[in-house]
Structure formats: C-alpha cells, structure tokens
Amino acid sequence: MGITAILGIGAAVLLVSVIAVRLSTKLGLPSLLLYLGIGVVLGESVLGIDFEDADLTRSLGTVALVLILAEGGLTTRWTAVKPALGLGIALSTVGVGVSVAVTGAALHLLLGLDWRMALLWGAVLSSTDAAAVFSVLRAVGVSKRLTGALELESGINDAPVYIAVVLLASPDPITWTAPLLLVYELVLGGLIGVALGWMGAAALRRAALPATGLYPLATVAVCVFAYTAGDLAHASGFLAVYIAALVLGNSRLPHRSDTLSFAEGLGWLAQIGLFVLLGLFASPGRVLDALVPALVAGAVLVLLARPLSVALAAIPFKVPWREQVFISWSGLRGAVPIVFALIPVIQGVPGSQALVDAVFVLVVVLTLLQGSTLPALAKLLGLVRAGEAHEVHVDSAPLDELGAELLQVRIQQGSKLHGVYLSELRLPPGAVVSLIARGGKGFTPQPTTRLQVDDQLLVVSTEAARDAAEKRLRSIDRAGRYARWKGEDGGKPAFPSI
C-alpha cells in the first residue's frame, strides 16, 4: 500500500471519527465505542486489512497514552483536584492493590487460572482509563471535587498498574523488593514531573518565540520529554508526564488558551487513533470465544472488586455513600487495559492472547454499560451540580494579555439560580456576566435581568477572581440569593473531611 493510499485512508477515518463524536452525543453513547467499531470494520473480518503486530500496537498505544495523559493534565484545574488529592491518590494506589488482589483471587477460583495469571488479569483490569474518564466524566455535571478525584485516579493509576503488569508478566520470581521498586518508580516519576513542569513553565514564560503556534508545541514537547526522562531514569514515565502536564496547565503560560485548545485537539487525535488501532488489531472470531470469561471477570470487577477497593480507599476521608456509589460505577475501562494486556503477549506468556480478547470484550461491555448510564446515575444520586462553571477555550490574544478567562454556566432544573436578579449574584471584582443565551438568542444582561432555567451564562473573569466567582455561583445554585446568610459559601467539599 503506497503512501498516498495510507494518507487517504487515514484522512477518511479521521473525518468519519470526528462525525462519530456528534453522532454518539445524539445517541447518548460513548464515542470511544464507535472508534473501536471503525477499527473492527477496517480489520480482516470486514474490509480485509490484516494487522496482528502486537509489538507495534503496544508502541503506538504507549505514544497515544502519553498524549492523552498530557492533555488530561494540562486541562485539569489544580483548584478542582486539590481538595480531593488524598482520595485520588488513595484510589490509585490502595484501591489498585485491593482491586488486583480481589479480582485475582476470584478469577483463580472461578476460572481456574493459576495465581500468577489470575493476578495478571486483576492488574490489567484494575486500571481506569484516562481517555474514557476525561471524555465522559466532564460532561456528566457532578461537582468538581468528585470529578477531580476520579481524574486524579485515572491519571495516576496507570503508573502502578503498568509496573505491576510488567512484574507479573516477567518470568522472574517476585521478591520482597517489588514493593520497594514500586515506591521508588512512583516517587521518582512524580519528582521528575514536578521538576520538568516547573522548569518548562519558567522557560516558556521567558521565551520570545517567533510564532504563537510554537508555544503549544513546546508545551506538549515538555510533557513528552517528561515521559522520556522518567523512563530513562527507570521511574514511572506515565506519572511523570501527567504531573508535568498538571504543573504546566496550572502555570501562567503565555498563550494558555491556544495551548489548551491544541492539547485538546491532540488528545482527541490520540484517542481516535488508539481506539481505531485497537479495533483493527482485534479478531472478532477470537473475541466470541472470550465472551464467557470476560463477563465473569466483568461481574467480579464491577460488583465486588471495584466497590470494595473504593470503600477501603475512602475510609480516611469519610466519603458519603452516594459519592462512593458513583465513584465505584465511574471506574471506566478503555484503551489502557488493552494496551497493558499486550505486554504479556509480547513476552510470550502462555494464555496471554485469551487475556487480550477478554479485555477487549470487557472494555466494550463496560464502556457501553457504565458510560451511557453515568449521567442518569448522577441525577438519581442527586450529585449533579447546576452551578458548576466550565472553562471555555478560545483563541484570543487579548484574553491572554489581560490574564482573563471565559467560564460557561448552564442553569439546570432545580437550581436556586433560577429567579435571581443579575445584581444579586454579587460576583467578585474582576468577574462579570457578559452574555446570556436564552431560547437560542443571546443578549447583554442588565442588573435587572432575572435568570431563568436553561439560561447559559458567559462569565469573563480575571485569573485572580476565577475561583471566587465559581464559589459564589455554586453557593447561589445551592442556597439561592441569601446564600451568605444561610452560611453557604460554595466551598463545601463533596467529601466532608476534606
């Protein structure tokens, strides 16, 4: 196949995948499933493209995961994840350990797998997927602290899971030094990420690059370099890239809006390419044979291992049961388990191909089941926050020069923002509602404008006033115009002890 044909097919697949985003939104399905479907259609069973290179798939998958983690870190607000930092770390460490142990023990008993292979299944399946979480969870509308905990978990837990999979897939015996190796790789990877993120942000602020488009490229390059530095230092490259991106995304970067828009587009491209590639690698014939063990493993994971790991990890933080239920159901699996399952295949571990096929089935089933029901579950548990503001990324040099940001707020049914006059919002100095969209039309609001359900507010805020503006909007959303008199400041955490 010539380069012209490859470019044409690649462009066509990308265009179809972009259209699939819109289609999946209308159908209420995660778009990641459609990307997998596109890959399957292109594969040997339909259009006849024969692709069975596990080593290349794993290498390209690693590249895509690095870019996805970079996008996730760059677009994550530190103020949102800081209150949930302890819970996020507990879920990605203690939670992972509990999930591996419980899933491995159950599969050893139910499927007759030897202990090492059973624990390998548990390790592969214990990693929540950053691409799935970032693309699905941010549209659900739960509190930012709850979202932050889950995003931290998905961004961090790839690191310990990868180390566990490599150790279990190796023919070498596991010794008492394994936990020490795990701690070393995580700590050093985190330190490398912090150092390179801080140095990269300082260098970008002082650089005078000749073109605006070079700043996003340089920012992403720093993130990728963090992965390389971590890997070369025998530390966790996945953790290094996520931490470096988190530091960069919360620094005063020049042309920050352009950088975040570029990172978001790059993240979408990585997700599309990764899931199409994994769909292309899958064999529908083998997948059918893996259906029963996949469903058994999925039932163990969803009904036993995940709820138990969340409950134990959340003990020190006194997380309410509603949040625990939502966190348990939000353990989305995506491309990461499939990519990690390829590691034992490459190393020639007996029975590892069955693991890949089972994981593929499980990803499809759980993404369809959990991803499509998360919004309804959040509403049922009363966790949807109508007053949450979402950052709007625009290419606007004046906003960067002024240090300003755009926030979008939609007033949902049941919100106490309904009926409040604009003058009663009392946003902090530096924040103002510049536009209201109502009934498909936009208008400039006046102090006497009364907010209504389904209004969409566009708030312009300086960086210094952003957090206070968000807290004020949340407080009125919860308690109405007299929020301050009722003691509601908008900062009440989702987890009482945080």
Side-chain angles (χ1 to χ4, degrees):
M1 185 181 294
I3 187 64
T4 302
I6 293 175
L7 288 174
I9 293 174
V13 169
L14 185 58
L15 288 173
V16 171
S17 300
V18 171
I19 296 172
V21 177
R22 180 62 176 169
L23 177 62
S24 66
T25 301
K26 288 186 177 181
L27 296 177
L29 297 174
S31 57
L32 309 182
L33 288 180
L34 297 179
Y35 303 153
L36 280 173
I38 292 171
V40 172
V41 169
L42 291 173
E44 59 183 21
S45 300
V46 183
L47 295 183
I49 297 178
D50 188 8
F51 183 77
E52 297 181 351
D53 193 331
D55 200 1
L56 179 60
T57 302
R58 186 232 170 173
S59 298
L60 294 177
T62 300
V63 173
L65 290 178
V66 168
L67 296 177
I68 290 168
L69 287 171
E71 186 267 338
L74 287 170
T75 56
T76 296
R77 299 289 302 189
W78 175 247
T79 52
V81 300
K82 182 180 178 181
L85 183 61
L87 180 63
I89 294 176
L91 288 171
S92 56
T93 52
V94 175
V96 165
V98 172
S99 181
V100 172
V102 173
T103 304
L107 295 183
H108 171 70
L109 296 174
L110 296 175
L111 298 181
L113 301 173
D114 65 78
W115 273 108
R116 189 148 186 163
M117 179 56 71
L119 291 173
L120 184 58
W121 276 59
V124 168
L125 295 175
S126 64
S127 178
T128 57
D129 187 78
V133 170
F134 294 147
S135 63
V136 174
L137 194 63
R138 292 181 180 179
V140 173
V142 296
S143 71
K144 291 198 172 183
R145 291 180 180 86
L146 192 54
T147 302
L150 290 164
E151 289 188 0
L152 275 176
E153 178 196 14
S154 66
I156 296 175
N157 68 7
D158 290 348
V161 169
Y162 175 78
I163 298 170
V165 171
V166 170
L167 288 174
L168 290 168
S170 171
D172 299 329
I174 299 177
T175 64
W176 63 271
T177 60
L180 298 179
L181 176 64
L182 178 65
V183 172
Y184 160 80
E185 294 200 15
L186 293 179
V187 171
L188 184 57
L191 292 175
I192 290 174
V194 171
L196 288 178
W198 182 83
M199 289 188 294
L204 286 169
R205 283 195 297 268
R206 290 169 173 77
L209 301 179
T212 301
L214 294 177
Y215 286 94
L217 288 174
T219 302
V220 173
V222 171
C223 298
V224 176
F225 184 73
Y227 171 82
T228 304
D231 199 49
L232 291 176
H234 299 288
S236 174
F238 288 120
L239 185 60
V241 65
Y242 181 73
I243 297 298
L246 187 63
V247 173
L248 284 165
N250 288 273
S251 302
R252 293 181 177 272
L253 293 177
H255 304 287
R256 182 176 179 273
S257 296
D258 294 332
T259 298
L260 297 187
S261 295
F262 176 78
E264 185 179 17
L266 199 60
W268 274 108
L269 180 62
Q271 290 180 46
I272 291 171
L274 177 55
F275 279 87
V276 170
L277 179 67
L278 294 176
L280 186 64
F281 180 79
S283 175
R286 294 197 312 267
V287 165
L288 291 177
D289 296 333
L291 186 60
V292 173
L295 293 179
V296 171
V300 169
L301 185 67
V302 173
L303 301 179
L304 180 62
R306 176 66 179 178
L308 185 59
S309 65
V310 170
L312 293 177
I315 287 176
F317 308 100
K318 299 180 181 179
V319 181
W321 70 267
R322 287 183 176 85
E323 277 86 353
Q324 289 194 38
V325 171
F326 185 81
I327 293 172
S328 297
W329 196 247
S330 300
L332 300 174
R333 268 68 185 176
V336 173
I338 303 177
V339 173
F340 285 175
L342 293 173
I343 295 175
V345 173
I346 296 170
Q347 296 189 5
V349 177
S352 55
Q353 186 60 56
L355 171 59
V356 175
D357 298 334
V359 170
F360 186 88
V361 173
L362 197 57
V363 165
V364 173
V365 172
L366 293 186
T367 303
L368 182 62
L369 179 64
Q370 295 175 296
S372 59
T373 57
L374 268 181
L377 179 64
K379 291 182 180 179
L380 181 65
L381 295 173
L383 299 177
V384 175
R385 303 294 186 186
E388 292 294 342
H390 305 279
E391 186 170 356
V392 181
H393 304 314
V394 294
D395 297 323
S396 176
L399 285 177
D400 283 322
E401 293 174 2
L402 294 173
E405 296 178 359
L406 293 179
L407 305 174
Q408 181 182 1
V409 179
R410 185 184 184 92
I411 302 178
Q412 299 185 15
Q413 196 73 275
S415 170
K416 298 291 182 63
L417 284 165
H418 174 72
V420 173
Y421 290 101
L422 194 68
S423 59
E424 294 175 321
L425 289 181
R426 297 186 182 89
L427 296 179
V432 63
V433 179
S434 62
L435 183 72
I436 293 180
R438 177 181 297 169
K441 297 181 179 180
F443 62 92
T444 302
Q446 304 298 320
T448 55
T449 300
R450 199 169 191 180
L451 303 180
Q452 299 179 10
V453 171
D454 291 331
D455 280 356
Q456 294 191 58
L457 282 59
L458 190 65
V459 182
V460 180
S461 173
T462 62
E463 292 181 358
R466 175 197 165 115
D467 294 337
E470 286 194 46
K471 291 178 66 176
R472 177 60 179 161
L473 289 168
R474 279 197 296 269
S475 69
I476 301 179
D477 167 61
R478 297 171 184 171
R481 54 173 60 86
Y482 301 118
R484 291 177 180 172
W485 289 94
K486 297 178 181 179
E488 173 63 75
D489 64 357
K492 183 187 297 182
F495 317 116
S497 64
I498 295 181

